[in-house]
Structure formats: C-alpha cells, structure tokens
Amino acid sequence: MTRTQENFSSLYAAARACIECAHPNEKLKLSSHCVNLWQQGELSLYDDQLPLPISEPGRPNKPVLVLPRNLARRKPGTEAGRAALIHAIAHIEFNAINLAWDAVYRFRGMPENYYSDWVKVAGEEALHFQLLSERLIGMGYSYGDFEAHDGLWEMAQDTAHDVLVRMALVPRVLEARGLDVTPGMMERLKSAGDQASVAILEVILRDEIGHVEIGSRWFHYCCEQRKVEPLITFRNLLQQYMKGFVKGPFHYPARMQAGFNDAEMQVLEQMSKNQ
C-alpha cells in the first residue's frame, strides 16, 4: 500500500507523513493527497499522540548541504548559472513544504482556520517545487545537482517550541526575504532571455505574499490571545533570534500586502542598518 492509499488517523498524522517522506516526487503526491483529504473533510483535528520533537525531515541524499558561505556564486548570465539559481529556489520551496506541514503538525489547539491556511500553503509550496523541478529538467539538470544549505529547517528547529515565535520568524523574516529579492531575480532572468523561469517566479511571488500574510495574521492572533503588544514582541524576537540584524533593502509594496505595517518597516529598516 502506498502512502496515498493510507487512511490517516488525523490531519496531524497526515502532516507527519508528508514531512517524513524523503523522495521529492512522492512528497509531492502525498502532499496533494493530504491537501485533498483535508479539504474534503476526511481528516480530524483529534489526535492523542503528542508531536514528536523536531528532527531532520525526509529528504533525498542530494543536494549535498553546505554552509551558506560555501555555496558557489550564481551568475544568471550563463545557462549553468541560471540553473543553479533555479535550483537554489527549488531547494527553498522543498524546505517550505516541510515547514508548512510542520506548522500543521507541531502546534495543537489552534483554530481550524489556522490548519486550513497552512494546509493550503503546503499545497502551494509543493506546486512551486514541481514547477521549478520541471524547469530544471528542461534546462538539462535536476534537483540535487547543486549544493544547497539548510537555513530554513534550522529556523524550524529553533522555533519548534512556540507557534507565536514560529509565525514571527519563519513567514515574517525568512520567507518575507523572498518578497524582497524575487523581483530582482526576475529582472536578471528577463535580461538573460529566460522568460520561462520568470513566469514561474511570478507565480511564486504572488503566492508567497499570501503565505507571509498568513504568518502575519496568525502572529497577530497569538499576540492578541496572550495580550502582548505585536510590535514590541516582533522587535524583541528579532533581537533574540536574529541578533538584531535583518537584511535589506525591502520590497515595500509586497511586504505591506503581506501584513507588515509602517512601524514594523521602521524597525526592519533600523535593524538593516546595523549590519
């Protein structure tokens, strides 16, 4: 019996299966299956099994993971450089599938809409990875052909203890950085004549604005539930986890659509000057 024929006991069990699935194509199929099960009302939010401590997600043997500073520079003016850039984005999206399912699996007792939001995100991240993987194949490469880093999953481990911290730092810091840099990548690819890759990034940018907005919304929900001030809380978390360093410049229109406000942007601007 394949995992897509399995009768999961709950949404949490389904999410855990998606996280643990190591083969990219199987992870895509299983994610799509579990999204459909949830949307059809076939998965419950009751589970007497507490979430396991976070560990390594299921992943293939390649790409080889290295420190970010050890990654080769990507030059989109060459075919290999463009493929390396697409591969880097594909790796982010592969990790983002796991992160979305972990947001479902790890944090219990949230409103049902929270789970619906993150199931939707998981499905969209899976689509992004599929589009990028197919684009790599069209360029003569495949996922795993280039080295990559593990920064996103390291942040998942650092924020596994608290849904408020997860919502603040993964969608609103790491994923939000994609809102800042994707337009520039699109311009470089457009200048190189790679319209096929540009079209994929247009889809990803549109969806990622929505993903960051979901993180913003649930961050503010958690702050309201705990009666803490969102701006002060966000700033303190940036100081604690990011050591007060945030990369700029920022794509204001996308970030404002994604739930940031003027006061938060002022904090980010100030921290970007601390580098």
Side-chain angles (χ1 to χ4, degrees), residues 74-90 131-132 135-136 139 141 178 181-205:
R74 298 180 288 270
K75 298 179 181 179
T78 67
E79 182 77 6
R82 289 194 295 277
L85 176 61
I86 297 301
H87 186 277
I89 304 169
L131 292 172
L132 292 163
R135 178 63 188 136
L136 278 172
M139 300 171 80
Y141 297 87
V181 302
T182 299
M185 290 190 292
M186 292 167 61
E187 285 300 317
R188 293 195 296 274
L189 290 167
K190 190 179 298 183
S191 296
D194 189 350
Q195 190 57 44
S197 296
V198 172
I200 295 171
L201 293 191
E202 287 174 346
V203 172
I204 292 175
L205 179 59

Side-chain angles (χ1 to χ4, degrees), residues 164-237:
L164 183 152
V165 179
R166 173 69 65 86
M167 294 297 107
L169 298 179
V170 173
R172 306 193 87 225
V173 176
L174 297 189
E175 294 190 67
R177 186 63 187 146
L179 306 186
D180 303 326
V181 302
T182 299
M185 290 190 292
M186 292 167 61
E187 285 300 317
R188 293 195 296 274
L189 290 167
K190 190 179 298 183
S191 296
D194 189 350
Q195 190 57 44
S197 296
V198 172
I200 295 171
L201 293 191
E202 287 174 346
V203 172
I204 292 175
L205 179 59
R206 179 200 66 205
D207 290 347
E208 294 297 343
I209 290 172
H211 300 175
V212 177
E213 189 278 329
I214 286 170
S216 294
R217 183 154 28 90
W218 289 110
F219 167 70
H220 283 275
Y221 169 86
C222 291
C223 288
E224 182 179 347
Q225 293 295 303
R226 301 182 196 187
K227 296 180 170 53
V228 296
E229 205 285 319
L231 179 61
I232 294 172
T233 302
F234 186 51
R235 184 178 60 202
N236 289 344
L237 290 172

